[in-house]
Amino acid sequence: DVANAWFIFFRNLIVRRDEVGYGLTLSGDQPVFVQTVRGGGAADRAGIQENDCILRVNGQRVTEASHQEVVGLIQGDLFNICIIWKCI
């Protein structure tokens, strides 16, 4: 039934750190999800949304990575992230 279907998209995004950071918090392990996104922040401007599932960071697959490992990959002024984005 199309009225109740979920559409799933894979998105590659680049997040450039601003003066207050990336503007997101992560949660979970294997996989790690985006918990919150600060409105108007770097992650928001890049298109990251709450509950996005993180697949890759800087080209490295992270679906089996711990929270701490994923956070460790997000360093420097920018990072590339591949997420699963769901919409109803």
Side-chain angles (χ1 to χ4, degrees), residues 55-70:
L55 302 176
R56 294 183 182 274
V57 175
N58 297 328
Q60 183 173 332
R61 184 177 173 201
V62 296
T63 53
E64 311 251 338
S66 71
H67 176 95
Q68 192 168 14
E69 290 170 322
V70 173

Side-chain angles (χ1 to χ4, degrees), residues 5-13 33 47-56 81-88:
W6 282 78
F7 296 94
I8 299 175
F9 301 93
F10 297 90
R11 300 179 70 205
N12 285 298
L13 306 168
F33 289 85
I48 294 176
Q49 297 180 5
E50 291 177 0
N51 299 314
D52 283 345
C53 177
I54 301 172
L55 302 176
R56 294 183 182 274
I81 187 170
C82 177
I83 50 106
I84 294 179
W85 181 67
K86 303 174 191 172
C87 72
I88 298 176

Side-chain angles (χ1 to χ4, degrees), residues 14-26 34 36-46 48 57-58 70-80:
I14 295 174
V15 182
R16 185 173 306 276
R17 181 184 189 127
D18 63 20
E19 62 278 352
V20 292
Y22 294 117
L24 79 162
T25 57
L26 307 179
V34 177
T36 62
V37 176
R38 182 173 38 85
D44 183 41
R45 290 191 308 272
I48 294 176
V57 175
N58 297 328
V70 173
V71 169
L73 290 171
I74 299 173
Q75 301 290 322
D77 290 333
L78 62 91
F79 67 93
N80 180 284

